[in-house]
Amino acid sequence: MVTVDAILLGGGLGTRFAETSQKVQSELPKQFQLMGNTPVFVHCLQSFLDMKIFRQVVVTSPSPYIKNAEEQILKYVKNPDRVKIRVIAGGERRQDSSRLALEALEESQPGPTRVLIHDACRPYISEELAHQIKSCLYDRAYGAWVPVIPVVDTLKKVKDQQVIETVDRSLVHRVQTPQIFEYTLIKSLMDRIKDLKELNFTDDASLCEYYGIPVGVFQGDVKNIKLTYDFELETLQGVLAEAKRAKTCAPESATTFTV
């Protein structure tokens, strides 16, 4: 039996967004800002619940905002009792937050077989992406899976303000989350680097690569945008509004996915 749990990483303070944004409704970090009358991270959380495959979800939050997160979950999440939801304090680095969340998952016995790790500031999970996620969660051909999308811009390698070479973009992809892992694998790797302060990974799959563990890829979604800067807020609001209209207009017999 394959047991799957999820982690939603929202432990950052979003300083780049706060510094550039003129549209924030409050001083809360970006993951708690309202988007379409719903907090950004709740869009992600609701998508997890609607997939109906997760036993539990652990949400990481900056320590001062744990109560805010818990209150927003109670207020905005539909059917919050569908799965077990916990909010815990995140760590100093991304990998620290992931490790703490993995440890929290272990408190439920038996431990999970597979775990999905997602950025709390990627609020839109399409029906197509959800289907890809479900397939890879149960496909154990790889110990880790990541969603990727092609690079459309020309890439240049630059040094000292001078172009060195043009990079073959067919060999390069943009990596997104959610990322999927064999639980015992990613947990053991996180424990291994716990005290290695010189290592800093920008995504969890990089840890697998660092130790030479193959990582599989599946098709991502260009609309799976990570909210980082001010202009992306308006873009994501449009994406979510369009998804809501499509759901409203869909025939009753069609399969729809709630966002």
Side-chain angles (χ1 to χ4, degrees):
M1 179 179 177
V2 177
T3 303
V4 293
D5 292 340
I7 292 170
L8 194 55
L9 295 177
L13 292 172
T15 54
R16 286 176 293 182
F17 179 83
E19 289 170 355
T20 62
S21 180
Q22 303 297 320
K23 303 176 182 178
V24 295
Q25 299 110 342
S26 70
E27 295 182 356
L28 292 173
K30 59 184 178 179
Q31 59 269 35
F32 304 120
Q33 295 289 326
L34 294 183
M35 179 180 293
N37 298 318
T38 302
V40 170
F41 86 97
V42 171
H43 284 286
C44 310
L45 184 56
Q46 191 67 58
S47 292
F48 289 170
L49 269 60
D50 292 338
M51 290 172 71
K52 299 179 181 179
I53 58 174
F54 297 107
R55 176 183 61 169
Q56 62 180 322
V57 181
V58 170
V59 181
T60 67
S61 165
S63 294
Y65 298 98
I66 289 178
K67 185 176 180 181
N68 294 90
E70 292 173 338
E71 290 175 346
Q72 289 187 334
I73 289 170
L74 289 174
K75 181 176 181 180
Y76 293 102
V77 172
K78 300 174 183 177
N79 302 315
D81 298 328
R82 186 175 291 172
V83 301
K84 180 181 179 181
I85 303 171
R86 294 178 57 194
V87 182
I88 66 170
E92 181 179 348
R93 301 167 298 176
R94 178 193 179 88
Q95 62 216 54
D96 298 324
S97 292
S98 294
R99 177 179 52 79
L100 291 169
L102 289 165
E103 290 174 356
L105 291 178
E106 198 171 39
E107 295 175 13
S108 296
Q109 293 297 323
T113 312
R114 304 281 271 182
V115 60
L116 175 149
I117 303 178
H118 188 45
D119 296 321
C121 290
R122 291 185 186 269
Y124 178 64
I125 298 179
S126 67
E127 181 178 355
E128 293 78 11
L129 183 56
H131 177 74
Q132 295 273 3
I133 292 167
K134 289 180 180 180
S135 296
C136 291
L137 272 167
Y138 293 99
D139 185 343
R140 303 177 73 182
Y142 285 96
W145 291 93
V146 298
V148 298
I149 56 176
V151 174
V152 296
D153 295 319
T154 298
L155 297 177
K156 303 285 188 182
K157 187 175 181 180
V158 176
K159 183 177 181 180
D160 298 328
Q161 298 183 315
Q162 179 177 322
V163 172
I164 304 300
E165 64 177 307
T166 299
V167 179
D168 182 355
R169 67 185 180 190
S170 68
L171 301 176
V172 181
H173 288 75
R174 292 166 54 197
V175 177
Q176 303 177 321
T177 67
Q179 298 183 352
I180 297 165
F181 302 92
E182 195 76 10
Y183 176 78
T184 54
L185 168 65
I186 192 66
K187 176 70 165 55
S188 65
L189 296 182
M190 288 292 180
D191 289 342
R192 189 181 301 184
I193 66 164
K194 177 180 178 180
D195 298 320
L196 301 180
K197 299 300 182 182
E198 69 275 13
L199 297 180
N200 188 26
F201 298 97
T202 57
D203 78 333
D204 300 285
S206 297
L207 180 54
C208 294
E209 299 164 41
Y210 182 78
Y211 284 104
I213 296 168
V215 177
V217 301
F218 62 94
Q219 182 62 47
D221 186 347
V222 293
K223 294 181 180 179
N224 178 21
I225 301 167
K226 184 177 181 181
L227 178 60
T228 305
Y229 298 107
D230 174 82
F231 73 92
E232 292 160 329
L233 182 64
E234 187 172 346
T235 301
L236 280 165
Q237 287 174 332
V239 168
L240 291 167
E242 179 59 31
K244 184 177 181 180
R245 285 193 295 270
K247 179 190 172 185
T248 302
C249 297
E252 292 184 3
S253 59
T255 300
T256 57
F257 186 75
T258 303
V259 295

